Amino acid sequence: MTASKDIQQVALDWLLRVNDPLFDDWDGWQAWLDASPEHPKAYWTLAEQEAELVDTLGSISWPASGAAPTAAPTDPRAGGRTRAGRRWTLPALGGLAAALAFGLWLAVTVPGRHSIVESPDGQPMTLALADGSEIALAGGSRIVLDRRNPRFAKLEEGRALFTVVHDRHRPFEVRIGDMVVTDLGTVFDVTRLDQGVRVEVAEGLVRVARGADRVDLEPGEGVMVAPDGFHLRSTPPASVAGWRSSRLTYHDETLSVVVQDLARVQGRRIAVSPDVEDRRFTGSLSADGAVAQSPERLAQLLGAPVTVERDGWRVGAATGH
Amino acid sequence: MGAGPDAEDVLQDVWLRTQAVKTPIAQPRAYLYRMVYTVVLDRRRQARRAATRDGAWIRDQDVDEPRATPTPERSLLAREALRAVETRLAILGEPAATILRRHRLGGETQKAIAADLGMGLSTVEKHLRRAYAALLDVSEDET
């Protein structure tokens, strides 16, 4: 038996398994596809053929010799697979891996009209919305989307960068607790921190409101909405989306905030002791770079001791237990 | 795999489909994978069909008609394909044909079919393998 025949047999094995509604070994399947460029070729050729076959089977009048027919020839489930008349100009897809490379590790639960999307710690992901808008979710974040209103999102945890398609008549709205951020066409970042909610604008115009208080932000402007009020700040527009490439940039920021951002990108628990939490940091660090990955070098950069504890790191004095 | 825009389109489709879901999902992760898989497969098939159609159209440019409309020639080809499949199914025989139909058209799990027909799961799998060997361009494996 030749090697290509072998691959075809294994591809058929996978197809048989994948087609079963109970199939659950997507990781194994993906690993096999990735193992050789011949694998996806063999697999998808077979899968496409098989799908055509299933469509054809749906239009066959089955002989009475078999068991009681479970699918009539006009079964909409069988016929409904083909969407005649719709044309796609797309080239063939590289495969599921392409979609998964976008970090499709989301947990979607659907209670009523809302979808909850959660990203695991340290694993960012990108959501494409129906209107063309995009939400880049940092690791360890949770966002609620409304199926009936694609121009709405609720950030329940973590950090998200919104790239919103502007619609003058339907502004995009992000809720964070009792706060509302409305885009007036735009790229902006929203982060829930211990101190409050930080909003930073890279492009366009954003309105941030809590109750009767409101502020309009332009590119390069930001605000920290804390229990005691709005604290305006400035951020270079180019650095607003920096976290997506693990680059964090600060001007006169508290260590507490720096550490929260770093912990989110790294997917690591990092505590800050009271003795250093209000110290200021100005500079830029790469969350996945050698400095931020080493407690000693991070300590030098931040100017505060960094110790390794059982479930993560601590910046500042050890708590003594 | 260097298919950036396509991946985005897939996500878009997946998103639209999650929006269409009306009932609670028991296994969100498996559900999502299945959905992405279906979208990817659908798009591959559509792309292939479009390519075939465009190719045929370019070859005979004086035929000025909407490409999606089936010509008599095309429906004849479809009928022929159908007859070929019917013949192969008849040669394949039972219980493989019934298992294939219940599994792929009825959407029954291999486990459920095995239990219903009183056979082992591996036997059901073997019949499905035989069915595919008869109906697709694959060689029958004796392992």
Side-chain angles (χ1 to χ4, degrees):
Chain A
M1 180 178 279
T2 65
S4 70
K5 245 183 184 171
D6 265 329
I7 291 174
Q8 197 184 41
Q9 291 302 332
V10 180
L12 182 58
D13 278 336
W14 277 114
L15 185 64
L16 279 169
R17 296 181 58 204
V18 167
N19 277 343
D20 195 76
L22 294 177
F23 178 75
D24 198 24
D25 186 20
W26 295 103
D27 291 338
W29 174 76
Q30 183 71 55
W32 180 75
L33 282 189
D34 288 345
S36 153
E38 295 303 314
H39 293 177
K41 215 186 287 171
Y43 182 86
W44 289 114
T45 304
L46 213 55
E48 283 173 48
Q49 271 185 29
E50 200 265 351
E52 298 292 340
L53 172 69
V54 171
D55 282 354
T56 310
L57 289 178
S59 48
I60 284 179
S61 39
W62 289 79
S65 63
T70 51
T74 50
D75 188 340
R77 269 176 308 177
R81 286 178 59 93
T82 42
R83 278 176 274 163
R86 277 181 80 180
R87 291 192 68 242
W88 299 87
T89 51
L90 290 156
L93 269 160
L96 185 53
L100 296 180
F102 270 65
L104 249 166
W105 280 77
L106 47 158
V108 179
T109 47
V110 189
R113 60 187 275 192
H114 294 107
S115 306
I116 302 170
V117 182
E118 267 184 292
S119 52
D121 287 345
Q123 267 182 279
M125 57 194 231
T126 306
L127 305 172
L129 303 188
D131 67 347
S133 298
E134 186 192 281
I135 304 175
L137 210 55
S141 301
R142 184 170 65 245
I143 201 160
V144 179
L145 302 163
D146 184 343
R147 260 185 271 126
R148 279 184 231 160
N149 179 7
R151 303 285 289 177
F152 174 86
K154 194 162 118 199
L155 185 67
E156 293 197 329
E157 180 65 51
R159 179 172 200 172
L161 181 78
F162 296 85
T163 304
V164 166
V165 173
H166 186 43
D167 180 344
R168 198 152 50 92
H169 305 289
R170 276 187 94 187
F172 196 96
E173 195 179 288
V174 183
R175 276 184 187 273
I176 313 99
D178 60 352
M179 234 180 91
V180 184
V181 178
T182 317
D183 102 277
L184 310 163
T186 261
V187 181
F188 61 99
D189 187 72
V190 180
T191 313
R192 292 187 80 125
L193 296 161
D194 292 344
Q195 298 68 0
V197 176
R198 180 183 59 202
V199 180
E200 291 172 335
V201 179
E203 273 175 37
L205 187 63
V206 164
R207 174 163 298 166
V208 179
R210 189 178 61 182
D213 297 331
R214 65 177 50 180
V215 61
D216 286 354
L217 302 175
E218 290 185 349
E221 294 178 338
V223 67
M224 173 80 88
V225 180
D228 64 340
F230 287 36
H231 303 272
L232 291 171
R233 50 198 283 128
S234 69
T235 309
S239 67
V240 170
W243 63 264
R244 292 191 72 186
S245 46
S246 300
R247 170 65 54 184
L248 303 170
T249 306
Y250 301 97
H251 177 73
D252 199 29
E253 186 55 87
T254 62
L255 277 194
S256 167
V257 168
V258 174
V259 165
Q260 286 175 65
D261 285 340
L262 181 62
R264 184 165 309 287
V265 175
Q266 290 190 339
R268 187 198 306 280
R269 281 178 61 110
I270 311 180
V272 187
S273 298
D275 62 321
V276 298
E277 63 183 9
D278 290 327
R279 277 202 208 164
R280 300 283 162 164
F281 175 79
T282 296
S284 179
L285 71 158
S286 173
D288 54 9
V291 172
Q293 296 288 349
S294 146
E296 297 78 29
R297 297 179 67 182
L298 184 62
Q300 280 179 359
L301 181 75
L302 298 180
V306 176
T307 47
V308 178
E309 295 185 335
R310 198 177 307 148
D311 58 348
W313 293 357
R314 173 171 293 277
V315 178
T319 45
H321 53 73
Chain B
M1 290 208 181
D6 292 332
E8 259 163 18
D9 286 331
V10 167
L11 270 181
Q12 194 94 327
D13 255 21
V14 168
W15 167 245
L16 291 173
R17 289 183 195 206
T18 54
Q19 290 203 310
V21 175
K22 295 279 183 281
T23 47
I25 299 162
Q27 302 269 345
R29 188 164 176 268
Y31 179 85
L32 203 76
Y33 268 103
R34 172 70 62 191
M35 194 154 53
V36 173
Y37 177 85
T38 310
V39 170
V40 169
L41 182 58
D42 276 1
R43 283 187 171 252
R44 291 187 69 101
R45 296 177 64 202
Q46 281 156 0
R48 181 164 302 223
R49 266 187 226 138
T52 313
R53 212 155 43 213
D54 290 353
W57 186 73
I58 288 160
R59 270 199 306 279
D60 86 336
Q61 283 191 354
D62 51 333
V63 183
D64 189 18
E65 54 166 317
R67 278 168 264 176
T69 317
T71 62
E73 190 194 2
R74 239 176 250 133
S75 48
L76 184 70
L77 282 174
R79 253 198 315 261
E80 258 169 28
L82 197 65
R83 206 163 303 133
V85 170
E86 279 175 331
T87 309
R88 286 188 189 190
L89 273 174
I91 295 167
L92 175 68
E94 297 298 342
T98 298
I99 289 173
L100 179 68
R101 189 194 61 215
R102 287 178 62 173
H103 182 48
R104 296 301 284 139
L105 291 183
E108 293 182 64
T109 65
Q110 293 172 19
K111 209 167 134 190
I113 295 169
D116 189 47
L117 297 181
M119 42 175 84
L121 192 58
S122 61
T123 312
V124 167
E125 217 170 273
K126 212 152 80 190
H127 283 304
L128 281 171
R129 243 178 182 285
R130 270 194 59 228
Y132 284 145
L135 294 162
L136 303 172
D137 297 331
V138 288
S139 48
E140 194 157 355
D141 189 37
E142 293 307 323
T143 51

